[in-house]
Amino acid sequence: MRYLHALFAGTWAIARAELAIVRRFPRILLAVVAVGVVPALYALIYLTSVWDPAGHTADLPAAIVNQDQGVTYMSRTVNVGDELTHTLLDKRAFGFRAMTDAEAARAEVRRGTLAFALLIPADFSANAVPGAQRGAGQLVVYTSEGNNYSSAGLARRFAGELGHQVNEMLNEQRWGLVLNAASGSQQRLDKLKQALLELRDGSQTLANGAAQYSAAAQQVGSGFKQVNGGIRTIESKLPADADLRALKAGSQQLAAGQRELGSGLAQIGDGFGQLEAGAGQLGDGARKMQKDSADIPFVGERIAKGAGELAAGADKLRGGIDQAQGAMAKAQDGNHKLAAGATALDGGVGKLTDGMGALSGGIRTMAGKLPADKKLDEFVQGGAQLAQGAQRLLTGVRTIEAALPASITRIQGSASGLADSVEPKVEVVAPVDNNGSAFVPNMVSVALWIGAVMAGYLFNIRIVLADHTHYPKLAKTLGKITMPALIVLLQVALVLATLLGVLQVQAPHVAALALTMALASLVFLVVLFAILHVFGDFGRILTVLLLTLQLSAGGGVLPVELSAGFFRTVHSWLPFSWVVQAFRAVMFGAFDDGWAHACWVVLLSGAVAVGLMALFGKWKEVLLADYRPTVQI
């Protein structure tokens, strides 16, 4: 009981001594106000700068250099570079402006006037649209990490999203072509089946005709062989040209002889006329002589008788000549007919010989033009092969017809759905409003740490009045913390007002948030006191190093799992880590609303720091004249 009484009494006495410093040095209030405002200003300045960077990317200068010449693909003209340029300029995700010179754009990136440049080469569409190989279409995102690493990071993320966007656009166009082709495939299949049906019928007709042709070819070949034999026999029996010439010459001679015979007959007719006239004169002379000689004695009778006989003979001669003239007339008529016949015979023989000559030439020509038996055999064999080929064609058509499907299964869906059929659905637990809100746990923790350090540095936390030497170390510790604790609580109030009133942070549990901030500030303060008491003035350096360590290992910006092994090891032993976790739990419901657990760990670290001060704290006793704040105003 005596220790507790001394503890409370000492704490109160030392706290009053700290408050008395303010009365003795009222200007210290200016420093208190300044220190109280610093965490709120720090949080405001930093959080405002990172509050919503995604909403300002349209102000980040960038360039597009589109040199794409386009390509004609499957009867369609495509220019992906133009489409991409129009899309990016319309979306204004970044402050894009169009340029024509790639080297000028690169130079502006190097000078820092552009965050990055998108370079679309002339053969981009020609390489990208056919999709012949992976990554054939090259887009260049040109940036400088040295100028600004964050801008370069945005450029890298933009490059990845751009590649996905372009591939999705190209895939949608390709699937559109596929669906258009598939939609007409059934119709084309029906047309193909109809064409095959007609082809089958035609092939059947061809096969039948080829079989008939083969049979006919055999008959033709056999017939031509017989014709060949007959023509050759006729050719062998034809008269020679000399015989025909001799026949023609004989007919001509016959006609000439007949003409000579007609001339002779005419001469004979003339002779018969003369002979008849002579016979008449002979008869007349004999009768006259008979008459005149009758009176001749002795011989008159005989002369008259002889003259009578001569007259009778002359009469008979005239009768015979008349008969001969009648026969000659008939002979002349016959000769005329013979002349006509001879002339006709001569003309007929001429035509016959000429015809026979022409016939001989024609038969010889025909014999020369007729195919040889070997050719006829090949002709017959070709007909058989044609019949076999036509049958094979018919069999092939039937095979194709049987292999064709009854129908084509059409691809279901749309071009956009097939191109981008998978969309990851992110289910977010403990949602955060924006980037600035996400930084609040880390930045407020840093601001409160800085505020605690500044509050601790306002007062000399290692001195006590000589009158208070007999009090327990714990009382000294609690008493010396009183004034800085009031300052950090002021800081908490100002930071909370800044978050809620200025930055409009959405906090579902304001009281729990305020309690977390107050607990964090007080624990940071006692940790600072413990370091300064245990390590002396060297502790001031340690507080700065500890802040750096906690920023690196606290997991406020990046997951601690992405840090090196040492930082992952010390992560759970740092109060900063648990403060950040408590803020996230109370603001966002993170860590399965594990706010109380995190606060208990923070409180435990503060108790450990207080225990270290109570056990190992080094105090310097001074008189009232030397009992003053560290900062002189």
Side-chain angles (χ1 to χ4, degrees), residues 396-416:
V397 170
R398 287 174 175 171
T399 302
I400 295 174
E401 188 176 20
L404 285 177
S407 62
I408 293 177
T409 302
R410 186 178 181 275
I411 300 175
Q412 301 298 319
S414 63
S416 58

Side-chain angles (χ1 to χ4, degrees), residues 21 24-25 458-460 463 624-630 632:
I21 291 178
R24 289 170 54 204
F25 303 96
L458 282 178
F459 298 92
N460 195 333
I463 63 173
L624 182 59
D626 297 325
Y627 198 74
R628 61 180 62 243
T630 304
Q632 300 294 326

Side-chain angles (χ1 to χ4, degrees), residues 17 26 62 95 104 138 226 273-274 340 371 373 412 461 480 483:
Q138 294 287 324
Q226 295 176 0
Q274 293 175 3
D373 290 347
Q412 301 298 319
I461 61 176
K480 293 294 291 183
M483 194 62 196

Side-chain angles (χ1 to χ4, degrees), residues 64 84 88 137-138 151 167 225 231 327 400 414 474 476 536 539:
I64 302 177
L84 183 59
L88 293 177
Q138 294 287 324
S151 296
N167 283 325
K225 285 183 178 180
I231 291 296
I400 295 174
S414 63
L474 182 56
K476 295 176 183 178

Side-chain angles (χ1 to χ4, degrees), residues 101-308:
D101 190 344
E103 290 306 316
R106 291 175 186 267
E108 289 202 34
V109 171
R110 291 193 296 269
R111 286 195 298 268
T113 55
L114 290 176
F116 64 90
L118 172 62
L119 310 179
I120 306 175
D123 58 353
F124 176 65
S125 292
N127 292 330
V129 173
Q133 60 183 0
R134 182 181 179 88
Q138 294 287 324
L139 290 173
V140 178
V141 177
Y142 188 75
T143 188
S144 172
E145 291 185 344
N147 289 358
N148 192 300
Y149 192 78
S150 297
S151 296
L154 288 174
R156 290 179 183 276
R157 288 193 292 274
F158 165 73
E161 295 173 358
L162 180 65
H164 173 73
Q165 177 183 351
V166 174
N167 283 325
E168 181 180 344
M169 179 174 63
L170 289 176
N171 288 337
E172 182 173 351
Q173 293 180 354
R174 294 189 188 108
W175 274 113
L177 294 175
V178 170
L179 290 178
N180 289 336
S183 63
S185 295
Q186 183 62 49
Q187 183 179 1
R188 287 192 290 273
L189 176 62
D190 294 338
K191 291 182 178 179
L192 177 60
K193 293 173 72 174
Q194 181 62 33
L196 280 176
L197 179 60
E198 295 176 1
L199 180 60
R200 184 193 65 188
D201 294 340
S203 299
Q204 182 67 61
T205 303
L206 176 62
N208 296 335
Q212 295 174 1
Y213 173 78
S214 178
Q218 292 179 352
Q219 294 178 357
V220 170
S222 177
F224 264 107
K225 285 183 178 180
Q226 295 176 0
V227 170
N228 277 344
I231 291 296
R232 292 188 182 96
T233 300
I234 293 173
E235 185 180 13
S236 65
K237 298 299 182 179
L238 285 174
D241 292 340
D243 294 337
L244 291 175
R245 288 193 296 270
L247 177 61
K248 187 174 183 180
S251 67
Q252 290 174 351
Q253 291 175 359
L254 176 61
Q258 190 278 330
R259 285 192 294 274
E260 291 177 0
L261 176 60
S263 178
L265 289 175
Q267 291 176 1
I268 291 173
D270 292 339
F272 276 134
Q274 293 175 3
L275 182 60
E276 184 181 10
Q281 291 175 359
L282 177 62
D284 291 339
R287 278 186 293 271
K288 183 177 180 181
M289 189 175 74
Q290 181 182 14
K291 184 177 180 182
D292 290 337
S293 63
D295 295 329
I296 298 175
F298 305 109
V299 288
E301 183 178 352
R302 283 185 288 182
I303 292 172
K305 183 180 180 179

Side-chain angles (χ1 to χ4, degrees), residues 3 56 73 99 109 203 240 290-291 320 370 377 456 535 554 573:
Y3 177 79
H56 299 283
Y73 181 69
M99 296 182 65
V109 171
S203 299
Q290 181 182 14
K291 184 177 180 182
L370 284 174
D377 293 337
F535 297 100
W573 296 95

